[in-house]
Amino acid sequence: MPPRLWLLALLVLPLIARAPVAGAQSGPPLPTLNALRIEPGALRLDGRLDEAAWREAPAATGFIQQSPEAGASASERTDARVLVGPSALYVGMRLYDSQPEAVDDRLARRDTDLTTDIARVLLDSYDDDRTAFAFEVTPAGVKRDVLFFDDIRSDVSWDAVWDVATHRDDEGWTAEFRLPFSQLRFAGGEGPHTWGLQFGRTHLRTGEVTFWAPLLPETFGLVSRFGALHIPGAMQAPRAVEVLPYVASSLTRAPGTEADPFYRATDVRPSAGVDVKVGLTSDLRLTGTFNPDFGQVEADPAQINLTAYELFFPEQRPFFVEGLDVFTYGRTRAYFNNNRPLFLYTRRIGRAPQRGGFVPGRAYDLAGDTGTVYADRPARTTIVGAAKMTGRVGAFTVGVLDAVTAPEYGRFSVVDADGTSQLNDREILEPTSNYLVARARGRFGATQVGGIVTGVSRALRDDTLGELLPGQEWVVGVDGEHALSDAWIVSGLASGSLVTGNEASILGLQTAFRRLYQRTEADHLAVDSSRSALSGTTAEVALSKVSGTHWRGSISAAYTSPGFESNALGFQTRADQNYVGVSIFYDETEPRRPFRRWTANLFGSLGYSMGWDRTHSFIGWGLGADLESFWSARFTGFANIRTVNDRIARGGPLWTDPAGAQGSLAVASDSRRPVRVNAFVHGGTDEIGGGFGGGGVTLSGRPTPSLSLSVGPSVTRTVAPYQYVTAFEDPAARATSGTRYVFGRIDRVDATLETRLDWTFSPDVSLQLFLRPLVSTGRYTDYRELDRPLAMALPVYGVDRGTATLNDDGSTTIDPGDGGDPFTLPDNDFTFRTLQGNAVLRWEFRPGSSLFLVWQQQRSSYLVNDGVFRTSDATRLFSDAGQNVFLLKLSYWFAR
């Protein structure tokens, strides 16, 4: 990292660390509760809490508000009790309500984050103040479970097999939980045992969120603030075996031509697989999947990407989402992280094959003027199997994930005009690959330390693939944090990478967009075509104030060397960067009319490349308010000064990024009401005429307790005077080393309408409908040239220099006016239309076992036209060619 940034960090961090901790406190004393042992058959899970054991068990009472009046007693009483059976923990909660008729009865699919009355149970069965299993239920019996880790972070994808029953009466409502020990993690042995425990309640009518062990805004932490549950007697931690086999069949209907030998008007594909969970020890669990199917997962939103940056999509596949908390790495406690690499992005596993253009020239030569070449390319790589082991070993939480993907081949065929096949062959697109990640972290008093290893190994038996993909890619790292006090935490990490392969694959990494060693102005970099390995490092350090009556904040410093590479199993948009970032937050939690709570924050960042080009410099601010009416508003603004852009020319000269500003305002109505409104507007501008503006609104309603509907239209217009178009060699472009860099002004409009309908027949049976139409248009004008390094306002062809002639076919012929040869740009204007929809009927016919019936539809078209946005494009979506996929999937849960 450049010395100036390290010096700034070293000077400021000690000063902040010595600053007084205004308002910091250890918080109120934490409560305790004794559990009561019961015999088998002592309870009937009906939600009524009328058995004698519930009357005999000690009660947890005295719930405290977290909001809207932090620290005040709950306005309605809540009692909670815990019973311990031979194989499960039982929790009974009595939630009193002075207006029992107002208790909300809305329904939704399991794991929906509803705004309604909620009863919560959270268990830190490890008793490590870091990990907790949370179970929630609504009065209508809608279940939700969440895994908390690292004290405050959450994994909403975690799914456990458990039971709960609810009951409404003239005193309010009750909830009776049965939480099998097989779904928890704990150390068995002779008693007594102590677990962390928390009860919570959301009271819809008053808007109160209350907890048994107080969670106040000025105290940091969630799991570390739990009370204690004392369990008498010995406990045997089960080593459960769970098996979840599935059978499925999909039917695809899509347009095509009968002459295509790979086309099937109706394509039926049966499949089967299995997930297995095995308790290796009381603290370690092995989870495996063989031939996994993710057909019920919602498709990624369609987007037009005009940048060279890769689009990021969140992981949605259940096997990979569940338990990812164990593998979390790469983030310090800084409140602001700028463009840091991700070390684990599981979407790499099963990705689309990376080799494109696989049809060889001999096929086209054979086709000549009379034949047609047809190709069949798989949409994704097949995952043969994957396994992960998670749990605890001594003081450490550990996780190991390994996955194997099969080689993927593309098929091609040459068919004569009379339908005779001349050639049928295949070529490999993706090799057999193994993906590995191992993570461990442990806490020792106020200090936490950990490490990670990720690796991708590819079986490269094809010379073409060997030139495209490295054979081995590895990343290792260590991280840690230390609590200086109740309020202050210092954290950091350091990582290194090593990639090996043949010269062509390593050359590809050197010249990839996230690295661009070939940049003409980067004196600190040089392309070496003889290299067979690439290595680099990255590190970050942060000092954070995480609690206090009002003030929080952080300062951080980080760097990523040019050779660092984590993209094989992670997600990295750029290397060769250094930055310092500062964040300051003020939080006022004491209600003062008309506010229930308001916040303000200020943040900024300064970054440089390793060659000391300042690549970003901005300051941002935000204001937020929660009103007494339960409406809320948030405003965020940014302002940046001129900086250097070393990526816009994609390996060419530096460009001066103009100064500019942008802002956004979001408003949300009272979420407790049957009809809700969420609206936003955003916009920005810069000093050379670029900018964007737009907004959207989402209307959500619940006509009946079992039916919810939301409609969310949005539209954004973006004007960019410096959209990259092309680059090519031209000796006349002497100021840019013999390469001409052409840009254009693009006027782009993106409009979408996201619609969702959820019909819940019971907590176990639901139908979800989703529809997302998108129309995106782009119109290019004023083609221009980056004619010298560090230019900002670029000369326009036909205005500032040369000529630009629009041809009848929409192309543009340009004479650059500097002695260079004229060149022609194709018609780049476009209209992209897509319609994505799906319907999912889900029936959990017994705990852990489900039946899915899925219909997915996708229609799309890409038109080269005048690029003008028209509302009629929305209606034409339904006439575009479409694909329909129908899926039936049955999974059945076995356990012992």
Side-chain angles (χ1 to χ4, degrees):
M1 183 174 182
R4 297 182 196 175
L5 295 185
W6 278 118
L7 181 60
L8 176 61
L10 292 174
L11 287 175
V12 177
L13 289 176
L15 294 176
I16 296 180
R18 288 198 297 268
V21 185
Q25 55 182 356
S26 59
L30 302 178
T32 62
L33 181 69
N34 294 321
L36 179 68
R37 285 274 182 181
I38 60 172
E39 297 298 323
L43 295 180
R44 181 178 59 190
L45 199 71
D46 57 8
R48 296 179 180 273
L49 306 182
D50 51 5
E51 291 88 354
W54 290 120
R55 295 190 296 271
E56 297 170 5
T61 60
F63 282 48
I64 300 298
Q65 291 188 44
Q66 184 187 51
S67 66
E69 297 185 42
S73 297
S75 61
E76 299 282 2
R77 178 181 166 191
T78 305
D79 295 346
R81 294 172 170 84
V82 177
L83 305 176
V84 181
S87 60
L89 196 76
Y90 296 86
V91 176
M93 296 184 67
R94 157 64 70 179
L95 302 101
Y96 292 92
D97 199 312
S98 57
Q99 299 180 31
E101 70 282 357
V103 173
D104 191 62
D105 61 350
R106 68 189 66 182
L107 281 167
R109 177 175 166 173
R110 175 178 172 164
D111 288 330
T112 301
D113 188 10
L114 277 175
T115 301
T116 182
D117 289 289
I118 300 174
R120 297 182 177 88
V121 181
L122 300 93
L123 295 168
D124 176 11
S125 53
Y126 280 136
D127 195 31
D128 64 354
D129 290 340
R130 312 293 296 172
T131 311
F133 306 93
F135 306 89
E136 302 178 355
V137 70
T138 74
V142 179
K143 298 193 298 185
R144 185 170 182 258
D145 39 29
V146 181
L147 175 65
F148 288 93
F149 63 98
D150 202 13
D151 195 7
I152 59 172
R153 296 173 179 167
S154 61
D155 177 6
V156 297
S157 66
W158 177 71
D159 280 323
V161 180
W162 54 286
D163 295 315
V164 66
T166 60
H167 177 70
R168 296 179 60 175
D169 54 30
D170 57 6
E171 292 186 303
W173 64 290
T174 54
E176 190 173 24
F177 300 78
R178 182 183 183 274
L179 310 176
F181 291 142
S182 62
Q183 304 301 299
L184 306 174
R185 307 283 185 89
F186 60 92
E190 299 298 324
H193 300 269
T194 300
W195 291 2
L197 175 66
Q198 179 68 285
F199 299 110
R201 176 183 183 179
T202 295
H203 191 223
L204 181 67
R205 178 168 51 83
T206 62
E208 291 181 13
V209 178
T210 59
F211 289 95
W212 172 58
L215 291 177
L216 304 180
E218 63 266 24
T219 56
F220 175 76
L222 172 67
V223 183
S224 58
R225 302 303 306 168
F226 282 11
L229 173 66
H230 299 302
I231 303 174
M235 295 184 67
Q236 180 64 42
R239 300 182 184 179
V241 176
E242 302 176 30
V243 181
L244 187 69
Y246 82 86
V247 292
S249 182
S250 65
L251 182 151
T252 301
R253 297 275 297 176
T257 173
E258 294 297 334
D260 185 348
F262 307 115
Y263 173 66
R264 300 290 182 271
T266 300
D267 188 6
V268 179
R269 297 190 180 186
S271 62
V274 64
D275 292 345
V276 180
K277 295 182 180 180
V278 180
L280 302 177
T281 70
S282 60
D283 288 338
L284 282 175
R285 178 172 295 183
L286 177 67
T287 304
T289 184
F290 302 94
N291 192 30
D293 174 83
F294 307 113
Q296 75 275 19
V297 174
E298 191 173 288
D300 294 321
Q303 297 184 46
I304 285 285
N305 183 17
L306 298 181
T307 75
Y309 291 101
E310 179 184 7
L311 295 176
F312 180 89
F313 295 105
E315 179 64 270
Q316 300 183 80
R317 298 171 295 178
F319 175 83
F320 294 104
V321 171
E322 185 177 346
L324 275 182
D325 61 285
V326 176
F327 302 96
T328 300
Y329 176 88
R331 291 292 182 266
T332 64
R333 292 287 185 183
Y335 288 100
F336 175 78
N337 295 92
N338 185 69
N339 208 22
R340 300 286 293 127
L342 286 180
F343 291 79
L344 180 60
Y345 180 50
T346 52
R347 293 291 296 260
R348 301 294 185 209
I349 305 172
R351 67 190 300 173
Q354 297 177 76
R355 180 184 172 190
F358 67 92
V359 180
R362 61 189 173 92
Y364 293 105
D365 293 339
L366 186 59
D369 296 328
T370 60
T372 303
V373 179
Y374 296 97
D376 179 41
R377 177 185 177 90
R380 63 188 61 89
T381 305
T382 301
I383 302 173
V384 178
K388 58 187 174 186
M389 181 184 69
T390 58
R392 292 179 64 86
V393 176
F396 285 88
T397 299
V398 299
V400 179
L401 169 65
D402 191 83
V404 176
T405 58
E408 289 294 341
Y409 293 86
R411 300 180 297 166
F412 59 92
S413 178
V414 178
V415 179
D416 281 346
D418 61 0
T420 303
S421 178
Q422 297 188 61
L423 175 67
N424 289 284
D425 206 346
R426 68 174 190 172
E427 289 203 1
I428 191 166
L429 307 183
E430 184 83 16
T432 301
S433 301
N434 187 86
Y435 299 84
L436 171 69
V437 55
R439 171 77 161 124
R441 66 175 184 268
R443 176 162 293 275
F444 304 91
T447 302
Q448 176 178 285
V449 295
I452 193 171
V453 176
T454 71
V456 177
S457 300
R458 301 183 179 96
L460 298 172
R461 300 185 179 91
D462 181 270
D463 291 340
T464 303
L465 284 181
E467 293 177 357
L468 174 68
L469 301 172
Q472 303 282 330
E473 302 192 40
W474 294 91
V475 176
V476 297
V478 294
D479 64 342
E481 65 178 46
H482 177 74
L484 303 174
S485 67
D486 290 335
W488 293 90
I489 293 177
V490 61
S491 54
L493 62 92
S495 311
S497 67
L498 175 64
V499 183
T500 59
N502 71 16
E503 291 83 353
S505 66
I506 300 302
L507 177 62
L509 287 179
Q510 294 179 71
T511 57
F513 182 73
R514 57 187 175 274
R515 195 160 285 105
L516 296 178
Y517 276 21
Q518 71 272 31
R519 279 176 275 158
T520 57
E521 306 298 315
D523 295 335
H524 62 295
L525 299 174
V527 175
D528 184 351
S529 59
S530 65
R531 296 182 65 168
S532 59
L534 186 71
S535 62
T537 59
T538 184
E540 182 175 2
V541 62
L543 178 69
S544 309
K545 186 178 187 293
V546 296
S547 65
T549 304
H550 296 296
W551 294 98
R552 292 175 291 119
S554 67
I555 181 170
S556 59
Y559 83 94
T560 301
S561 74
F564 183 80
E565 172 68 14
S566 67
N567 230 36
L569 194 47
F571 189 90
Q572 181 183 352
T573 56
R574 69 167 291 159
D576 187 20
Q577 64 173 346
N578 313 268
Y579 80 87
V580 291
V582 178
S583 303
I584 301 173
F585 294 83
Y586 182 86
D587 194 355
E588 179 56 73
T589 60
E590 182 177 347
R592 295 181 181 179
R593 290 187 175 182
F595 303 111
R596 290 189 296 120
R597 177 177 184 171
W598 65 272
T599 61
N601 64 298
L602 186 68
F603 53 94
S605 181
L606 179 65
Y608 292 83
S609 72
M610 291 290 186
W612 278 106
D613 297 315
R614 191 176 67 214
T615 55
H616 73 267
S617 177
F618 76 90
I619 186 170
W621 56 92
L623 294 170
D626 297 328
L627 305 179
E628 286 183 319
S629 62
F630 287 89
W631 282 61
S632 62
R634 301 287 184 270
F635 172 78
T636 302
F638 299 87
N640 59 279
I641 65 174
R642 291 183 183 180
T643 55
V644 167
N645 190 321
D646 58 2
R647 292 294 191 270
I648 193 169
R650 306 186 185 186
L654 299 174
W655 180 66
T656 299
D657 252 331
Q662 57 182 280
S664 64
L665 174 66
V667 178
S669 69
D670 187 349
S671 61
R672 304 173 302 166
R673 303 302 180 189
V675 178
R676 301 179 301 279
V677 179
N678 291 269
F680 75 92
V681 292
H682 61 180
T685 186
D686 63 37
E687 59 180 310
I688 61 171
F692 68 95
V697 60
T698 299
L699 299 174
S700 304
R702 186 173 286 273
T704 70
S706 61
L707 188 65
S708 66
L709 173 67
S710 69
V711 180
S714 67
V715 61
T716 297
R717 181 189 177 194
T718 304
V719 175
Y722 37 81
Q723 175 64 48
Y724 178 86
V725 175
T726 188
F728 55 91
E729 292 185 4
D730 187 341
R734 290 180 294 275
T736 51
S737 303
T739 301
R740 197 174 297 280
Y741 299 91
V742 181
F743 293 76
R745 180 186 187 273
I746 183 172
D747 190 336
R748 178 175 173 180
V749 177
D750 296 279
T752 186
L753 176 66
E754 188 167 299
T755 304
R756 293 181 183 271
L757 185 146
D758 294 346
W759 191 359
T760 309
F761 307 100
S762 75
D764 301 321
V765 182
S766 63
L767 174 65
Q768 291 185 305
L769 303 176
F770 169 72
L771 193 67
R772 184 197 291 120
L774 166 70
V775 177
S776 179
T777 63
R779 186 178 186 185
Y780 285 83
T781 57
D782 296 342
Y783 288 109
R784 58 195 68 196
E785 180 178 333
L786 177 55
D787 60 344
R788 65 189 186 282
L790 294 175
M792 183 174 65
L794 309 183
V796 177
Y797 296 122
V799 177
D800 301 310
R801 57 185 297 182
T803 61
T805 305
L806 181 63
N807 303 316
D808 292 340
D809 61 356
S811 64
T812 302
T813 299
I814 293 173
D815 182 346
D818 57 2
D821 294 333
F823 57 93
T824 299
L825 299 175
D827 187 354
N828 291 303
D829 300 340
F830 65 87
T831 295
F832 173 66
R833 300 192 301 251
T834 180
L835 177 67
Q836 294 175 300
N838 73 333
V840 180
L841 177 66
R842 179 182 183 271
W843 175 28
E844 188 175 1
F845 54 89
R846 66 186 298 267
S849 303
S850 301
L851 175 69
F852 287 93
L853 180 60
V854 182
W855 172 37
Q856 296 178 340
Q857 183 183 87
Q858 179 150 344
R859 299 174 181 269
S860 63
S861 63
Y862 186 92
L863 307 175
V864 178
N865 55 14
D866 59 7
V868 176
F869 181 84
R870 298 178 178 87
T871 55
S872 58
D873 281 313
T875 59
R876 293 171 182 165
L877 277 168
F878 295 92
S879 61
D880 291 333
Q883 173 182 279
N884 290 275
V885 178
F886 300 89
L887 171 72
L888 179 67
K889 180 178 179 181
L890 173 69
S891 59
Y892 195 91
W893 182 74
F894 298 91
R896 69 171 184 86

